[in-house]
Amino acid sequence: MELLLFYSLFNGVIIGIFYAMMALGLSLILGLNGVINFAHGTFMALGGYLAFTIEPYVGFWGSLFLAPLLAVVFGIATERLLIRPLYGRDPLFSLLLTFGLAMIMEDLIRTIWGAVGVPFAIPGYLNAPLSNSMFFLTGYRIALILITVLVAGALFAALRYSRIGIRIRAGNADLETISSLGVNILFLRAANFGIGIYLAGIAGILAAGQLGLSPSIGASLIMPAFVAIIVGGVGSLAGSVLGGLIIGIASGVTAAFFPAAQEVVIYVIMAIVLIVRPRGLLGQEGLFE
């Protein structure tokens, strides 16, 4: 029983990491760009498929570095051509745009790489279990946790100490004021959108090695990522991480004992949090109260 519980908790942490990485990017884009990016999941899938394409030439670690950057190029082009003209208008326009974009991108992925999932190879030495009794503790899963911690830590450090990070945080608080101080808001929003897509790209590659790579991989994670933002608190990046881990662990444990309720428990947690604390666990006071 103890081994089963630990196995379920560990699986929940792994799934929660994917939710958290997705939620981080979504929260960044929502905060400064004011866009509910329903296409975030397909950018995640795009990152995984780009890595699958270039991996034979640059290896796993090379694809992990390069593929998210390639996804960022597509992301910034999308922001510049499609999303930027909608700034200042009703958020419903950008929501509908990204919803339609998600369906178009997913169909393009199916057209280019096929509708059937493809195997994403990870180095053999990462596949081996680290323990005979705990078969689920593989090198890849440990590496996945470490990479996520490093990426999230680098993001928080950049937002706190770098010039562009400080401007992004200031823009989240008061965009008009920093605009009046001479900050190029259009560049700042493009850079922020690119960072969000970069996180989605990394999540797509890491998830592909664990869950398999298919055109719908992002679609299966996008709604739990939105739930993670609501649970953690809209406007709080730390809350997005916390929310992702909470619903991931809850889903993992529930899957072991009540498989039919694996998805339902996520929305039950969201409902409870909204009733008890409408702004979320770490959300900004006044957003929903």
Side-chain angles (χ1 to χ4, degrees), residues 258-289:
F258 306 101
Q262 180 180 1
E263 294 185 8
V264 174
V265 70
I266 295 175
Y267 300 99
V268 170
I269 291 173
M270 180 182 71
I272 293 173
V273 170
L274 287 176
I275 292 171
V276 176
R277 190 178 175 87
R279 67 176 180 266
L281 299 178
L282 301 179
Q284 300 174 13
E285 187 173 358
L287 284 178
F288 298 103
E289 298 182 297

Side-chain angles (χ1 to χ4, degrees), residues 32-254:
L32 183 62
N33 298 74
V35 174
I36 302 174
N37 185 20
F38 266 99
H40 206 69
T42 47
F43 277 110
M44 174 187 176
L46 178 63
Y49 274 98
L50 289 172
F52 168 77
T53 301
I54 66 175
E55 185 183 25
Y57 308 99
V58 299
F60 172 78
W61 297 108
S63 66
L64 182 62
F65 176 75
L66 292 175
L69 296 178
L70 295 175
V72 168
V73 174
F74 286 97
I76 291 179
T78 299
E79 189 275 341
R80 176 65 182 87
L81 298 174
L82 300 177
I83 295 176
R84 184 176 296 185
L86 300 180
Y87 289 145
R89 302 182 68 178
D90 191 319
L92 180 63
F93 288 102
S94 59
L95 187 152
L96 292 173
L97 170 69
T98 56
F99 183 78
L101 180 63
M103 293 189 289
I104 292 171
M105 288 180 62
E106 189 170 322
D107 280 343
L108 285 175
I109 288 174
R110 285 193 175 94
T111 300
I112 296 172
W113 284 284
V116 181
V118 295
F120 185 78
I122 60 176
Y125 61 86
L126 290 179
N127 264 329
L130 302 179
S131 168
N132 290 329
S133 59
M134 298 184 180
F135 60 91
F136 50 87
L137 286 177
T138 64
Y140 182 73
R141 289 186 163 195
I142 300 300
L144 190 153
I145 294 173
L146 293 176
I147 291 169
T148 303
V149 170
L150 288 174
V151 170
L155 172 66
F156 283 105
L159 290 174
R160 184 173 182 83
Y161 299 110
S162 70
R163 176 176 295 183
I164 190 170
I166 292 171
R167 288 179 174 178
I168 287 174
R169 289 194 294 120
N172 284 331
D174 192 338
L175 194 61
E176 291 184 3
T177 298
I178 68 167
S179 177
S180 65
L181 294 174
V183 175
N184 187 335
I185 298 303
L186 293 179
F187 171 80
L188 194 65
R189 277 176 157 167
N192 183 73
F193 196 89
I195 293 171
I197 298 303
Y198 181 80
L199 294 173
I202 291 181
I205 299 168
L206 297 178
Q210 178 65 34
L211 307 176
L213 186 57
S214 67
S216 61
I217 185 174
S220 64
L221 298 176
I222 187 69
M223 289 309 298
F226 278 118
V227 172
I229 293 176
I230 295 171
V231 170
V234 177
S236 172
L237 295 181
S240 297
V241 175
L242 178 62
L245 291 175
I246 288 175
I247 65 172
I249 291 172
S251 178
V253 173
T254 304

Side-chain angles (χ1 to χ4, degrees), residues 1-9 136 253 256-257:
M1 179 61 72
E2 291 181 359
L3 183 61
L4 176 61
L5 181 60
F6 184 62
Y7 169 76
S8 304
L9 286 172
F136 50 87
V253 173
F257 300 98

